[in-house]
Amino acid sequence: MQSVKSTSILRRFLQKSRLVSQSRSFCGVSSNVLIDEPESTVLVEGKASSRTAILNRPHVLNAINYSIASRLMKLYKSWEDDPDIGFVVLKGNDRAFSAGGDIVSLYNLLKQGNFQDCKEFCWTMYSLVYVVGTYLKPHVALLNGVTMGGGAGISIPGTFRVATEKTVFATPETLIGYHPDAGASFYLSRLPGYLGEYLALTGDKISGAEMISCGLATHYSHSAKIRLIEEQLGTLITDDPSVIERSLENWGEIVHPDPASILHRIGTLDKCFSHDTVEEIIDALESKAAKQDAWCVATLRKLQETSPLSLKVSLRSIREGRHQTLDKCLRREYRMSVQALSGQITSDFCEGVRARLVDRDLAPKWNPPTLEKVTDDMVDQYFSPLTAFEPELELPTQQREAFT
């Protein structure tokens, strides 16, 4: 089975286990955002020594709203404090793990002038990502289906991620005038070479086999074995990550990326996406496209569909994330998200969601419309400290140590 080495997982988990468990603080805010009842959006199954949380909004591919994020925060705190619970499993109902944050609901809130609820959702969502990434017990995410955006955010920072042939991963935020968030600047920046920049800028999709190959997943199994994996996990009475890993390995398979995989073009990708600016990246792609390189031509088409401002903001975010801990990435991403949703710099988020998910005309009118019209001041504003009246994201770093 292809998986991360046991020693790597154990080292990371033991690092977490040294954390002080008393006086734990989970950042959260009260809100009545969106309409679902929390109990119905996250179902719970109790096992011998574990609990399984099931994302339950299958009609929207388990898109994460405030109800889901806040309920998971409460459940995870309760389970972490319970000595009878050894580990946690997270999965999605039906054909998706999670398509990410419920951006249509955010769009509707902004159209109603309800910016405050949007901020509260981001605050709770990013706090949840931090909890998953610093959880004191092993965390197993079963990524059997669509795993995008915020869905990746609440799974990839955890201990184990099981991908299947049905898994589809992407961070497609630049296509809606946004930026990869929910910890994406942390985990994308740590992928081999400049794969993270490529995925962040283009929003391209990769498979479960590609996820295991590049390190986004820790294990790979056929979807038909997921039920068996769950059954075996349910019999374990342990909080030992090595025991859980051996259980996952019992159902693992060795897989290789498809011949057309982006991972087979990593040399060309690195040469193009290693440049310092979006303009230089595009110049490098155009130079190779002129020599009839089909992959470069296709990549240029993908970039042409995105928001010019989002491209520049996202590239800088990944580059900064490469040198930051998870908590620092999340704090910066919260700052960026508040700026993006406020509409003070640009209305690209609302325009992107409208064009792709509301009116579906696929013809967004970006502002600025071209890279040449994106100023340094616009980009800098995304990364600038919020005003005195706008609190920065608070994370319990004294009680829950961030990892690097």
Side-chain angles (χ1 to χ4, degrees):
M1 173 177 204
Q2 290 185 341
S3 68
V4 294
K5 293 181 179 179
S6 300
T7 52
S8 176
I9 291 176
L10 287 169
R11 188 181 304 115
R12 176 179 152 190
F13 185 75
L14 290 172
Q15 177 188 17
K16 295 182 188 179
S17 298
R18 292 195 296 268
L19 309 184
V20 178
S21 60
Q22 286 79 19
S23 303
R24 297 191 190 100
S25 171
F26 288 72
C27 294
V29 287
S30 61
S31 174
N32 59 356
V33 177
L34 310 182
I35 59 175
D36 294 323
E37 291 296 327
E39 289 74 17
S40 67
T41 59
V42 181
L43 307 179
V44 175
E45 292 180 352
K47 306 294 183 179
S49 179
S50 65
R51 293 294 182 270
T52 298
I54 306 169
L55 307 178
N56 188 41
R57 300 183 75 213
H59 59 292
V60 287
L61 300 179
N62 299 320
I64 302 168
N65 59 8
Y66 181 82
S67 296
I68 285 182
S70 60
R71 178 155 164 79
L72 284 175
M73 287 282 286
K74 293 175 183 177
L75 289 172
Y76 276 33
K77 181 182 188 306
S78 172
W79 295 340
E80 191 173 59
D81 290 338
D82 188 338
D84 294 327
I85 297 175
F87 65 97
V88 172
V89 178
L90 180 63
K91 68 176 187 176
N93 189 8
D94 204 18
R95 62 193 179 96
F97 174 73
S98 173
D102 190 343
I103 56 176
V104 173
S105 291
L106 290 177
Y107 168 88
N108 289 331
L109 286 172
L110 290 173
K111 287 299 181 181
Q112 296 163 11
N114 193 346
F115 179 41
Q116 184 62 34
D117 280 359
C118 293
K119 291 187 293 183
E120 291 178 350
F121 167 73
C122 291
W123 184 293
T124 305
M125 181 68 182
Y126 298 175
S127 298
L128 174 61
V129 173
Y130 186 72
V131 166
V132 172
T134 57
Y135 209 56
L136 302 182
K137 296 179 178 181
H139 186 272
V140 182
L142 303 176
L143 310 179
N144 188 31
V146 173
T147 304
M148 297 184 180
I154 62 171
S155 56
I156 289 176
T159 323
F160 303 105
R161 291 90 63 195
V162 181
T164 75
E165 83 285 356
K166 293 183 178 180
T167 306
V168 180
F169 168 89
T171 51
E173 288 83 359
T174 57
L175 293 165
I176 56 165
Y178 204 55
H179 50 271
D181 67 333
S185 67
F186 179 82
Y187 63 78
L188 288 180
S189 64
R190 283 154 176 80
L191 295 181
Y194 294 88
L195 178 61
E197 280 88 339
Y198 169 80
L199 294 174
L201 298 188
T202 65
D204 200 10
K205 301 172 184 176
I206 61 174
S207 68
E210 290 171 309
M211 287 185 74
I212 187 73
S213 296
C214 72
L216 285 171
T218 59
H219 297 79
Y220 183 95
S221 296
H222 193 279
S223 59
K225 297 180 181 179
I226 290 294
R227 180 179 60 82
L228 300 174
I229 291 173
E230 292 185 72
E231 289 177 356
Q232 188 170 83
L233 288 174
T235 66
L236 299 180
I237 301 178
T238 187
D239 60 0
D240 186 341
S242 66
V243 173
I244 297 167
E245 179 166 29
R246 284 196 296 271
S247 177
L248 295 174
E249 288 177 342
N250 288 336
W251 306 103
E253 300 176 32
I254 295 176
V255 291
H256 302 285
D258 183 272
S261 169
I262 181 59
L263 298 181
H264 295 307
R265 300 299 304 267
I266 200 71
T268 301
L269 183 154
D270 284 351
K271 288 179 181 178
C272 294
F273 282 83
S274 61
H275 290 286
D276 292 335
T277 67
V278 175
E279 289 90 345
E280 289 172 329
I281 290 172
I282 290 176
D283 285 345
L285 289 167
E286 288 177 340
S287 176
K288 291 186 176 294
K291 301 175 183 177
Q292 308 303 310
D293 187 311
W295 177 79
C296 290
V297 172
T299 300
L300 285 168
R301 289 200 194 100
K302 291 183 177 76
L303 293 174
Q304 289 167 359
E305 296 177 10
T306 64
S307 155
L309 179 55
S310 289
L311 287 178
K312 291 201 171 189
V313 168
S314 298
L315 180 62
R316 177 168 165 181
S317 178
I318 300 300
R319 296 283 163 83
E320 290 194 6
R322 189 165 279 127
H323 307 288
Q324 295 177 331
T325 55
L326 176 62
D327 61 304
K328 290 182 179 178
C329 285
L330 289 167
R331 286 194 182 99
R332 173 177 43 72
E333 289 173 2
Y334 178 77
R335 186 181 294 170
M336 295 165 62
S337 295
V338 169
Q339 298 287 10
L341 295 172
S342 72
Q344 294 180 357
I345 307 170
T346 180
S347 58
D348 275 4
F349 172 75
C350 282
E351 175 61 9
V353 176
R354 179 206 65 77
R356 286 202 166 263
L357 297 169
V358 179
D359 296 338
R360 298 178 184 270
D361 58 26
L362 302 181
K365 295 179 174 58
W366 304 124
N367 180 29
T370 63
L371 288 170
E372 292 75 19
K373 294 188 177 181
V374 176
T375 67
D376 291 341
D377 286 343
M378 289 177 181
V379 177
D380 289 342
Q381 194 170 337
Y382 273 82
F383 297 83
S384 300
L386 300 175
T387 68
F389 304 102
E390 193 71 71
E392 301 278 355
L393 178 66
E394 296 177 6
L395 296 170
T397 54
Q398 296 301 314
Q399 294 80 31
R400 312 181 68 92
E401 179 184 345
F403 58 89
T404 57

